[in-house]
Amino acid sequence: MRHTVNVRIVVDVICSHSYLGYTRFARAADRLRAEGVEVPVEFLPFELAPGASTEGRPLLAVLEQTFGPRAVTGALAFAEHATREGLRFEYGKAIATGTFDAHLLIADAALQGKAEPMAERLFRAHFTDGLHIGDPATLARLAAEVGVVTGRVQRAAVRARLDRVRRLGVTGVPVFLIEDLPPLTGSLTESTLLAALRQAAHERSTP
């Protein structure tokens, strides 16, 4: 078995499927890590709403205005489903916002080996705590909470990564790029993700 499995994950931190999918992935990765395999993770940014305002508006109102009442019904049903996974989605207080600066914060965290806890904290801040993750003061507070020093990554670098993801043909998230395996998309089960990680660990493990 290989001792390292490299993973790239494309997410947006206001995407409910990204949150559930990443949570399942993190649990699968931790199981493989417990077997002695390193699983470094690189986050690639994706914006569900490119150029969206960071003014901040109630998420359910934005969903209804943009997609209609069924979007609200679907979101609430997804929240109920997520509780079975130990996640709490508080859509009633969630705030719709642009996420460019949140991706910038994850990039800063990556330079300090803290991308995974930073991404998880941003997901939880948005979906559970009802925090405005487009607000600079909120992002500064969350960075301090995780122990991330900001200002190391240039905004142009994040724009370049967004362009790179678009060139990859990504139109929805999450996407899991595990070594050379075909891309996996959506909030897949923990067992599916673990199987993919194990497959990557075993492939080319012998000369």
Side-chain angles (χ1 to χ4, degrees):
M1 179 182 288
R2 296 175 63 183
H3 295 294
T4 302
V5 175
N6 294 292
V7 180
R8 294 174 295 158
I9 306 177
V10 189
V11 297
D12 195 359
V13 287
I14 58 167
C15 170
S16 57
H17 289 278
S18 288
Y19 188 15
L20 179 58
Y22 173 67
T23 298
R24 290 170 171 172
F25 166 82
R27 292 169 180 168
D30 283 346
R31 289 171 67 180
L32 196 63
R33 287 163 176 156
E35 298 171 12
V37 180
E38 293 185 13
V39 187
V41 176
E42 176 188 0
F43 288 90
L44 299 179
F46 183 87
E47 292 178 301
L48 286 181
S53 169
T54 56
E55 177 183 348
R57 297 173 56 199
L59 177 58
L60 290 181
V62 171
L63 287 177
E64 183 167 13
Q65 180 181 11
T66 306
F67 302 107
R70 288 186 180 180
V72 174
T73 303
L76 296 176
F78 189 88
E80 179 65 25
H81 172 73
T83 60
R84 302 169 200 161
E85 307 269 345
L87 299 178
R88 195 169 88 247
F89 283 61
E90 297 287 353
Y91 275 114
K93 58 183 181 180
I95 299 171
T97 183
T99 54
F100 183 92
D101 287 341
H103 287 300
L104 180 63
L105 178 52
I106 293 172
D108 271 328
L111 293 181
Q112 298 158 66
K114 297 179 179 180
E116 290 182 79
M118 192 73 259
E120 189 281 330
R121 186 63 187 100
L122 285 164
F123 278 126
R124 185 159 40 91
H126 175 69
F127 284 105
T128 303
D129 301 335
L131 298 179
H132 181 188
I133 61 169
D135 173 62
T138 299
L139 291 173
R141 188 166 69 252
L142 294 173
E145 184 179 318
V146 179
V148 172
V149 177
T150 60
R152 297 188 176 185
V153 177
Q154 298 297 312
R155 300 178 72 83
V158 175
R159 292 191 188 95
R161 291 173 191 174
L162 286 165
D163 289 341
R164 173 187 171 196
V165 168
R166 281 191 286 269
R167 288 195 300 272
L168 289 172
V170 175
T171 58
V173 285
V175 179
F176 301 91
L177 304 168
I178 301 173
E179 289 288 352
D180 296 325
L181 300 182
L184 298 173
T185 61
S187 45
L188 301 167
T189 65
E190 180 181 333
S191 60
T192 297
L193 291 164
L194 179 59
L197 288 168
R198 284 201 170 122
Q199 179 183 346
H202 283 288
E203 283 189 357
R204 298 185 302 280
S205 59
T206 56

